[in-house]
Amino acid sequence: MFEKLRKYALTPEHFADDQTIEWLLPNCIAKETVTLLYAEGGQGKSFVTTALAQYALASGMKCLYLDYDNSKIAIAERGLQEKLIGSRKNIIYIHRSTTNLHASEMINNMHEGAVKGGYKDTLIVLDSLKNFFDLGNDNKANEAMKKITDLRDAGATIIIISHTNKSGSNYQGSNNIRDAVDAMYRIEKTESKEGELRVILNSEKERLPVKDTALSVNVKDLSISLIDLTVARLTEADKIFIGDIKSVIAKQPGINKRELLEAAGYSIDHKQMRSKLEQFEELYWTANKGAKNATLYHLLEN
């Protein structure tokens, strides 16, 4: 029996195509993984995932979007019938009003096709996880997540939307959910310009070299742009500090550190302000060594 089972064994050849990670979203969401995105209400969860679906379609992938959460009115208000559902042929957008199957039954049906390569180059979105099984039941969670990871192993890239628990401190549901997913992000909505949604995907669990990522979603066409993470995390105090420093450098290019901070109204002995000068180097200004090893500042050209 031992030798008979050898035909099913992993060999070095099975890893030949797995040496390079293929990304859906660079350094954030890898293909053929399960990624959980969660947040409290109003943080843009569904908006982000519909934009990711559009992003995947534009790259040549297919998409199965299982929406058991949003009403058709909410879908229409977002204009998804034109922006996403009706704009491309390679998407199947299933809504609870278009099928008699419960969300869990839909997963069971899809699971029948979870054979090698059956879902290759396919993005599957589950919106949202609470509709697919009892989140607080460990056995149900384990059973459902096993089917979801089987879809992944059949080639699918899976994004799951979920919510926070009652306290808002963590994702909602069993620990078996966290154990099963490959990456988990908490969505944080940040200050956004009119016509866009800006969010930070804060990594909370990973099996791959993923990073916190900041995104801008264009409300009009669902296009995605990556944003510098440091800029996305700016506080009001940061913005005031940056404005003060830029104003001084603009008037006195090449000013040294002590004179710069004092002219902006900060003390050279204030460790936090010195740290902020370094934090925003190469984003808003440069710092180069001058005569007598003094650090001299110039604004970066926009």
Side-chain angles (χ1 to χ4, degrees), residues 33-242:
T33 62
V34 180
T35 300
L36 178 72
L37 305 179
Y38 82 97
E40 59 269 25
Q43 294 298 301
K45 296 185 294 293
S46 293
F47 215 114
V48 169
T49 46
T50 51
L52 287 170
Q54 179 82 294
Y55 189 82
L57 291 167
S59 72
M61 296 180 70
K62 300 184 289 293
C63 179
L64 286 170
Y65 200 112
L66 308 185
D67 188 344
Y68 280 79
D69 202 58
N70 297 288
S71 68
K72 285 202 295 184
I73 293 175
I75 293 171
E77 285 180 344
R78 295 170 187 159
L80 296 184
Q81 66 274 28
E82 290 94 14
K83 299 174 186 176
L84 184 64
I85 298 171
S87 64
R88 298 183 184 275
K89 296 180 180 179
N90 284 338
I91 183 169
I92 298 174
Y93 195 109
I94 296 175
H95 186 259
R96 62 176 181 267
S97 67
T98 62
T99 175
N100 292 324
L101 293 178
H102 184 272
S104 60
E105 295 174 309
M106 183 65 69
I107 291 294
N108 290 339
N109 275 14
M110 293 170 58
H111 188 255
E112 293 177 5
V115 296
K116 182 180 179 181
Y119 288 99
K120 183 72 174 175
D121 293 323
T122 302
L123 172 67
I124 299 175
V125 178
L126 307 183
D127 188 358
S128 64
L129 194 59
K130 66 181 180 180
N131 299 292
F132 290 86
F133 59 90
D134 181 357
L135 298 181
N137 186 312
D138 284 345
N139 290 332
K140 294 288 186 182
N142 187 57
E143 180 183 348
M145 294 307 298
K146 176 62 171 65
K147 291 175 181 176
I148 289 170
T149 55
D150 284 348
L151 295 174
R152 174 202 65 193
D153 294 341
T157 302
I158 302 172
I159 296 176
I160 301 171
I161 303 176
S162 192
H163 300 269
T164 57
N165 55 17
K166 289 183 179 179
S167 68
S169 61
N170 207 336
Y171 72 95
Q172 184 180 12
S174 165
N175 286 334
N176 289 339
I177 299 169
R178 183 184 182 94
D179 292 342
V181 301
D182 300 295
M184 178 186 296
Y185 294 94
R186 182 165 186 149
I187 299 177
E188 174 191 353
K189 185 178 178 181
T190 65
E191 183 179 349
S192 306
K193 300 176 183 178
E194 185 176 354
E196 73 167 349
L197 169 70
R198 289 191 172 196
V199 298
I200 299 173
L201 304 185
N202 295 297
S203 175
E204 296 194 347
K205 184 244 173 133
E206 69 282 336
R207 290 176 177 156
L208 295 169
V210 298
K211 300 177 180 178
D212 292 359
T213 301
L215 301 176
S216 169
V217 178
N218 186 304
V219 173
K220 184 176 181 180
D221 60 10
L222 297 180
S223 60
I224 288 177
S225 301
L226 295 174
I227 305 172
D228 184 279
L229 191 60
T230 301
V231 174
R233 286 180 168 155
L234 289 180
T235 65
E236 284 304 313
D238 290 334
K239 293 174 183 177
I240 292 171
F241 176 81
I242 291 167

